[in-house]
Amino acid sequence: MKFKTLAFLSVFSILFFAGCDSKEKKDENRQSNAQQKIELKSEFILNSVQNSVFNIKIEDNKLKFAEKEGKIILVNFFATWCPPCKAEVPSLIKLQDDFKNDFEVVSILLEEFKSDEEINDFIKEFGINYEITKGGDNFDLAKALGGIKSIPTMFLVDKDGKIFQKYVGLVPAEMLEIDIKKLLEK
C-alpha cells in the first residue's frame, strides 16, 4: 500500500512541477522550425486587460519595456487552464506587493479567443494585482524569445533590460525572491 501511495505521489509531483504542454504546440514548433528563415519581429505592443499598453523592444539581447525603465520585470507566460500557472499566482501576487517600488510582474496570456470577461473573472477569482496582456503580439513575443515550449515560463529582466534568468515550470517563491534581491543589490 505504501508503495502505491509513494508511486502515485511521485508521478503527481512530476506532472505538477513540469508545467503544461500541448501536442498542438509541438507540431506548430516543428513547422515553424522548418520555416524559421522568416524574419521575427523585434518590437511589440502588448495590451493589458487593465487597459495598459506595453511597448517592448528586443535589441542587443535585451528586453526593453519603454514604460517600465528602471524596474525589474518578471515576464510570465501562462494560460488560465494550466494548473501550475494557477498554483504560482499567490507567489506572484506576494512578490508584486513585497517589491512594488522596484519590481513588476507582467503576465503574457498564451490563449486565443479568451474574452475580457473571462480574463477579468480569472483576475477576480485569484485576486491578481499585476498586469495581464492578451492578443496576437503575445504569441509573436513568445516566438521572438525562442519559443515557449511549456508553461509557465518566466523571464526575470533586470533594470537595464538584460534577461537575468529563465524559469520553466513552477518555481518556488523563495527562488524568485532571492533572484530579485540579487538584482536589487546590483
Side-chain angles (χ1 to χ4, degrees), residues 2-40:
K2 287 183 181 180
F3 177 74
K4 287 182 181 179
T5 304
L6 183 60
F8 174 76
L9 289 175
S10 297
V11 170
F12 177 76
S13 297
I14 290 169
L15 292 174
F16 185 77
F17 289 108
C20 297
D21 198 2
S22 168
K23 287 184 181 182
E24 289 177 19
K25 294 280 185 199
K26 287 181 183 177
D27 292 339
E28 288 174 16
N29 285 339
R30 283 187 202 122
Q31 290 173 350
S32 68
N33 286 341
Q35 301 170 345
Q36 194 64 21
K37 294 183 176 151
I38 298 171
E39 186 68 30
L40 293 175

Side-chain angles (χ1 to χ4, degrees), residues 76-88:
N76 171 37
F77 289 92
F78 83 109
T80 59
W81 53 263
C82 167
C85 298
K86 292 177 183 180
E88 75 183 0

Side-chain angles (χ1 to χ4, degrees), residues 70-143:
K71 283 200 171 203
I72 298 166
I73 307 290
L74 182 65
V75 181
N76 171 37
F77 289 92
F78 83 109
T80 59
W81 53 263
C82 167
C85 298
K86 292 177 183 180
E88 75 183 0
V89 169
S91 298
L92 298 179
I93 291 169
K94 184 175 181 332
L95 291 170
Q96 179 75 28
D97 284 339
D98 291 349
F99 298 102
K100 61 184 158 209
N101 295 328
D102 301 300
F103 168 82
E104 217 167 299
V105 176
V106 178
S107 279
I108 314 294
L109 181 63
L110 293 180
E111 285 183 74
E112 293 181 297
F113 312 116
K114 201 70 153 170
S115 72
D116 285 352
E117 183 180 340
E118 290 172 305
I119 300 168
N120 282 321
D121 288 346
F122 182 80
I123 290 169
K124 286 177 190 166
E125 178 183 346
F126 289 92
I128 294 174
N129 61 350
Y130 49 85
E131 300 280 346
I132 295 179
T133 68
K134 65 174 191 135
D137 265 6
N138 286 7
F139 295 94
D140 293 339
L141 177 61
K143 286 178 192 169

